Amino acid sequence: MDDLKLTCVIIEDSILHSEVLAKLVHQHPNLSLTKTYRNGIEAKNNKANENVDLIFLTVELPFINGFDLIETFKESPQIILVSSTPNHAFRAFDYTVTDYLLKPLLPLRFDKAVKKALYNAKLTTNHKDEAHFFVKSNSRKVKINYIDIKWIEALGDYVKLVTEKSNHIVLSSMKNFEKKLPDSQFVRIHKSYIINLKRIEKFNNTMVEVEGKKITLSRSRRDFFMSAIGTS
C-alpha cells in the first residue's frame, strides 16, 4: 500500500452516514480524519477547506448545499461528493471533483475513490508545475493549472487570465490576484500585466515577449524582473 497519507474532513448532516463514512476513513491506511462537520455553515465558518487534502462532502446539506459550499471556497482541496441520488452527478463535472459516491457507501467503491485522490495527490507532488487553483468565471468555478497561464492583464475591476486553452475574465484586483501566484514562476512587469516566467520568448530593457505578445516592461519594475529572470 502507498505510504502517502491524506488529511481529510467529513461534511455530513446525518449522524448515521457520518459514522459510516468515518469508520471507512479510519480503516483506510492512507487517510487521516481531522474533523467532522454537521452542515455547510459550520464547515464554512471553520474554513474546512483550508489545511486539508481531501473533503468528503454530502450534496444534500441543510442551510447550504454541497455545491453552494464549494462556491464559497477561495481555494479547494480535492473533493469527493457523497449523495443519496445519482441526479447530481452531471453537475459535479462543473466542479472538477475527484469522485462521486452514492449512499449507502460500499467499501470497494470507497477505496476506488480514495485511489483516485491518492493518484491526484502524487501528480501534484511529483509535478509541481501541475499545481492549480480555482477561479470564478461566468458564474462557474474553473480549474487553472499554473503552468497553463501565459499572462494576466488588468481590466478595471477585473483581470483577464490568458491561458493555453482559453481566456477567463475574473472579478479581482491585480494586487489580490498576484497573491494567488507563486513568486518563483510569476512576476508583475507592469501595473497592468503579470507574466509567467516560463512563457517568455525574448526580452530587452523595455519589452518582454510572451508567447508572441509584446508587453511593456515598466522602468520601476525592471530591476525586479531582471532579478526574477536570473533565478527562474
Side-chain angles (χ1 to χ4, degrees):
M1 182 65 72
D2 199 303
D3 59 359
L4 182 64
K5 197 108 172 177
L6 303 180
T7 57
C8 59
V9 298
I10 293 171
I11 308 175
E12 166 65 75
D13 61 308
S14 165
I15 295 177
L16 176 61
H17 288 298
S18 181
E19 289 178 346
V20 170
L21 186 49
K23 183 177 180 181
L24 288 169
V25 170
H26 286 309
Q27 290 176 341
H28 200 288
N30 299 106
L31 298 179
S32 175
L33 182 63
T34 61
K35 187 76 175 178
T36 297
Y37 300 98
R38 296 301 182 203
N39 58 67
I41 300 298
E42 181 185 1
K44 180 175 179 293
N45 290 342
N46 286 277
K47 300 180 179 179
N49 60 306
E50 297 184 3
N51 301 314
V52 68
D53 299 313
L54 178 62
I55 297 178
F56 291 96
L57 174 61
T58 293
V59 175
E60 302 88 357
L61 292 172
F63 310 124
I64 175 173
N65 68 41
F67 291 118
D68 289 340
L69 179 60
I70 295 174
E71 292 280 358
T72 70
F73 294 162
K74 292 182 179 179
E75 297 180 4
S76 179
Q78 292 194 70
I79 295 174
I80 293 177
L81 286 176
V82 182
S83 177
S84 57
T85 170
N87 295 345
H88 306 294
F90 184 76
R91 185 181 178 189
F93 280 103
D94 290 339
Y95 295 85
T96 60
V97 299
T98 299
D99 210 339
Y100 187 95
L101 298 179
L102 287 175
K103 300 175 182 178
L105 297 177
L106 302 176
L108 287 178
R109 185 64 182 85
F110 175 84
D111 287 345
K112 184 177 179 181
V114 174
K115 283 182 179 179
K116 289 183 181 180
L118 288 168
Y119 177 77
N120 291 341
K122 284 196 289 185
L123 280 182
T124 300
T125 300
N126 295 334
H127 305 283
K128 293 298 184 181
D129 284 341
E130 292 301 325
H132 64 271
F133 63 105
F134 289 85
V135 297
K136 191 170 185 177
S137 179
N138 293 324
S139 301
R140 179 176 294 183
K141 290 281 186 177
V142 181
K143 179 181 177 181
I144 304 294
N145 290 323
Y146 290 116
I147 193 174
D148 291 337
I149 299 172
K150 296 181 180 180
W151 69 83
I152 298 96
E153 181 177 348
L155 290 175
D157 293 332
Y158 295 80
V159 296
K160 180 181 180 181
L161 184 59
V162 179
T163 75
E164 184 73 32
K165 299 176 182 178
S166 58
N167 299 336
H168 304 281
I169 305 299
V170 181
L171 179 61
S172 173
S173 67
M174 287 287 278
K175 183 178 180 180
N176 286 336
F177 201 88
E178 191 173 6
K179 294 176 182 178
K180 293 178 179 286
L181 307 170
D183 295 338
S184 61
Q185 190 175 343
F186 294 88
V187 63
R188 191 168 181 177
I189 64 168
H190 186 277
K191 66 178 182 179
S192 298
Y193 286 94
I194 298 170
I195 64 168
N196 186 341
L197 294 171
K198 298 181 185 296
R199 296 280 183 168
I200 294 173
E201 294 179 335
K202 62 179 95 169
F203 66 91
N204 56 34
N205 286 334
T206 59
M207 180 274 296
V208 180
E209 187 168 328
V210 181
E211 301 279 331
K213 182 178 177 64
K214 295 179 179 180
I215 302 173
T216 299
L217 173 59
S218 295
R219 183 182 303 175
S220 62
R221 300 179 185 273
R222 186 179 301 154
D223 289 346
F224 186 76
F225 168 72
M226 293 302 180
S227 176
I229 283 291
T231 58
S232 64

